[in-house]
Amino acid sequence: MTKFIKFLRYDLKNGILSAWKHYLLALAFFLCIGVDFLYRCAVFQPKQNFTLGDFASYVFAGMRKYVPSIYDSFRFPALWVLLFALILYGTLRYTDEDMRGFGQHTMLHSASRSAWWFSKCAWNALSVLTFFLLLWVVMLLFALCGDLQFSFEISPYMDLFLDAGEVHIPSVEWSLTLELFILPPMVAIALSMAQMTLSLFMKPVFSYICSLVYLLASAYYTSPALLGNYAMVLRSEQVMENGVSPTVGVLYATVLTVLSAVLGYMLFRRHNILGKEET
């Protein structure tokens, strides 16, 4: 446990505090989202007071179910994909760089691969949560500056605002708690953990490409088997008929996170670090 704490302190300092450029980039992106939302509000309903819940639903909306048709082209959910792509990019290289740099020496000196690996898992989750914390801080500031109501109630016209199609977004306060607050960071952590495990055996850029393909597949197919669907408000069973269950999404994300951590450790124990160790 002592070794784990030492590794975690090192990772928090070097993997989070030293990654200020990634968070600065994320901050700039989140600010652009805020400006875009307030502008759309002014154009759509200039006399209507929007809520913080409306803002959150706009950020995590994703896209409505896509049915291939010659009359309906696929509308790329740019905001949703960019948000998760940016977060996954922020956790992309640290593990690989640390394993090839100073972290390699500390791991060999401590003779504890388990402490090193699970500290990286904890760093990964905390790094993702830092991105979401920054996002919510920005949303709260825009809610204050943009005169948004500090309510998580979803306005009844948000289905038109989001181009949701034939769905009904409930306007009951806290009705979308899992979809807005819990599932987006849980899904991001699960995907980031899976990406980190893949990075042990392929170049980080290739694992990142796998993550992007998975996000695009989640947007194209409304399937309970694709985890990204659970992080889209418009794919929830509370919003669309035959949508995905948020409760199942929490279970799915938890299982993938734990499985990635355990499977990654089992494989990492046999991973060749120096190129001359016996695997």
Side-chain angles (χ1 to χ4, degrees):
M1 189 64 179
T2 302
K3 293 180 180 179
F4 170 78
I5 294 176
K6 289 182 178 179
F7 276 123
L8 184 57
R9 288 176 179 173
Y10 171 83
D11 290 330
L12 293 178
K13 178 180 178 181
N14 294 277
I16 293 183
L17 296 180
S18 298
W20 60 271
K21 291 182 179 179
H22 295 301
Y23 295 111
L24 187 61
L25 175 63
L27 177 61
F29 177 61
F30 299 156
L31 291 174
C32 290
I33 293 176
V35 172
D36 178 61
F37 176 73
L38 293 182
Y39 172 77
R40 290 173 182 268
C41 289
V43 174
F44 183 79
Q45 287 279 10
K47 297 182 179 180
Q48 177 64 44
N49 290 328
F50 286 80
T51 68
L52 183 59
D54 295 337
F55 194 177
S57 65
Y58 172 70
V59 174
F60 302 117
M63 63 172 290
R64 59 189 173 91
K65 180 180 179 180
Y66 173 64
V67 180
S69 169
I70 60 175
Y71 303 104
D72 187 14
S73 59
F74 177 70
R75 301 180 183 181
F76 182 71
L79 174 58
W80 184 86
V81 172
L82 286 173
L83 173 63
F84 281 88
L86 178 63
I87 293 173
L88 291 175
Y89 180 78
T91 62
L92 179 62
R93 297 185 178 277
Y94 174 67
T95 300
D96 181 71
E97 291 175 352
D98 188 61
M99 184 168 56
R100 301 176 186 278
F102 183 73
Q104 178 187 102
H105 301 289
T106 58
M107 176 174 50
L108 294 176
H109 178 72
S110 67
S112 177
R113 290 195 176 202
S114 61
W116 186 92
W117 173 253
F118 287 112
S119 73
K120 293 297 182 292
C121 294
W123 156 82
N124 198 307
L126 291 173
S127 180
V128 171
L129 291 176
T130 302
F131 279 105
F132 277 93
L133 177 61
L134 183 60
L135 172 59
W136 274 103
V137 168
V138 170
M139 285 198 290
L140 287 171
L141 290 176
F142 268 90
L144 180 63
C145 298
D147 198 26
L148 302 180
Q149 297 180 11
F150 278 82
S151 168
F152 295 106
E153 183 176 350
I154 308 299
S155 302
Y157 46 77
M158 281 302 290
D159 53 348
L160 298 176
F161 185 92
L162 298 174
D163 188 24
E166 297 180 359
V167 302
H168 172 67
I169 297 180
S171 58
V172 180
E173 192 170 0
W174 297 105
S175 61
L176 296 176
T177 303
L178 289 177
E179 292 89 342
L180 295 178
F181 301 97
I182 307 299
L183 278 168
M186 287 193 68
V187 168
I189 289 173
L191 294 179
S192 184
M193 289 284 292
Q195 176 180 266
M196 183 177 69
T197 300
L198 288 176
S199 296
L200 293 174
F201 311 103
M202 62 177 67
K203 291 184 177 180
V205 64
F206 294 138
S207 65
Y208 185 61
I209 290 175
C210 291
S211 298
L212 295 182
V213 171
Y214 190 82
L215 289 174
L216 292 175
S218 297
Y220 192 84
Y221 298 104
T222 305
S223 171
L226 294 171
L227 184 59
N229 281 273
Y230 298 96
M232 297 187 192
V233 170
L234 295 182
R235 298 285 175 88
S236 170
E237 65 181 5
Q238 296 191 71
V239 175
M240 63 169 283
E241 186 178 357
N242 298 321
V244 296
S245 168
T247 305
V248 173
V250 170
L251 178 61
Y252 188 174
T254 301
V255 170
L256 180 58
T257 300
V258 174
L259 183 63
S260 297
V262 174
L263 181 61
Y265 170 64
M266 293 174 61
L267 297 174
F268 181 63
R269 290 174 59 187
R270 301 177 60 84
H271 188 62
N272 191 335
I273 302 174
L274 298 177
K276 59 183 180 181
E277 290 183 355
E278 293 184 1
T279 59

